Amino acid sequence: MKLLDGKVAIVTGASRGIGTGIAKVFAEQGANVAFTYSSSEAPAMALEKELNELGVKAKAYKSNAASFEAAEKLVADVLADFGSIDVLVNNAGITKDNLLMRMSEADFDSVIEINLKSVFNMTKAVQRTMLKQRKGSIINMSSVVGVKGNAGQTNYAASKAGMIGFTKSVALELGSRNIRCNAIAPGFIETEMTEKLDEKTVQGWRDGIPLKRGGSPEDIANACLFFASDLSAYVTGQVLNVDGGMLT
Ligand code: NAP
């Protein structure tokens, strides 16, 4: 018996990085996985094939997380293809870093829309199905930056802190219907998002991590597995830092 046998999970932004790691761990644990991408079609198709070869049902959907209409269509398509939705992981995200002095309005707005409004779009879209089922687990990918702030990332930090407030509010609203909502705050995870940083900045991050290494997508995926499975049946409204001790 695997931890997610027979469950249906949606993972947004799984064509790369942490999302790919989550989709793989979920499929290895028996979940059927619907996942989205924005532009990376080839990696998304390769992942779809890889997951199906594990013996579960998996499908990639091109869907813009920032669009309310696209989220509604995605959920309708997933329900038609998979029949139910037990787990939602709001993972899609971007950075557009700059000092506040130099940050454009467009860069502020797009980070808020893709990172934070997407969480509203997707949660609202799956809510009816989870209410009817009287069960569900929603997992929001925040960041240590949303907990402590970071110079040069006012837009990103605001979006990630917003996700934490959203998470706690959804936990309060939907707990009586057995729908749980938790957030994960990853620290420094080695993906394309962090490859953009210069070596000096990266070394600075590593030096501040008690476990003395960057995290991997699997480190985050394993925390997601806990929240997605019944192992966390009595846990809601929480933020789990998965950061090698960075915020300790
Ligand atoms: P990544 O490697 O840059 O991957 C981002 C993923 O999001 C890709 O699959 C991308 O799809 C998708 N995406 C981007 N814009 C989208 C949109 N409008 N609609 C749908 N999908 C979209 O990032 P990552 O490092 O794996 O990060 C994943 C999540 O963890 C993000 O929310 C990030 O903020 C958070 N996080 C990361 C770190 C870290 O250190 N890496 C730390 C804390 C939190 P395409 O490939 O098609 O563009």
Side-chain angles (χ1 to χ4, degrees), residues 12-19 36-41 63-66 90-95 114-115 141-144 156 160 185-194 196:
T12 66
S15 44
R16 291 184 279 127
I18 292 171
T36 71
Y37 65 98
S38 167
S39 57
S40 305
E41 182 148 353
S63 184
N64 177 9
N90 286 309
N91 170 75
I94 60 163
T95 51
I114 293 174
N115 295 5
M141 202 56 66
S142 180
S143 167
V144 291
Y156 184 77
K160 295 297 176 181
F188 179 78
I189 311 301
E190 291 179 1
T191 68
E192 280 178 42
M193 187 174 271
T194 45
K196 290 183 213 157

Side-chain angles (χ1 to χ4, degrees), residues 20 28 30 37 39 70-73 134 146 150 170 177 220 238:
T20 296
E28 282 160 10
Y37 65 98
S39 57
E72 290 206 308
K73 182 177 184 312
R134 288 203 163 251
N150 195 25
V170 168
R177 308 295 183 89
I220 305 303
Q238 301 306 302

Side-chain angles (χ1 to χ4, degrees), residues 10-36:
I10 298 183
V11 183
T12 66
S15 44
R16 291 184 279 127
I18 292 171
T20 296
I22 297 167
K24 284 185 187 173
V25 166
F26 278 14
E28 282 160 10
Q29 287 297 328
N32 298 311
V33 183
F35 68 92
T36 71

Side-chain angles (χ1 to χ4, degrees), residues 57 77 153 208:
K57 183 178 163 91
D77 289 347
Q153 289 196 307

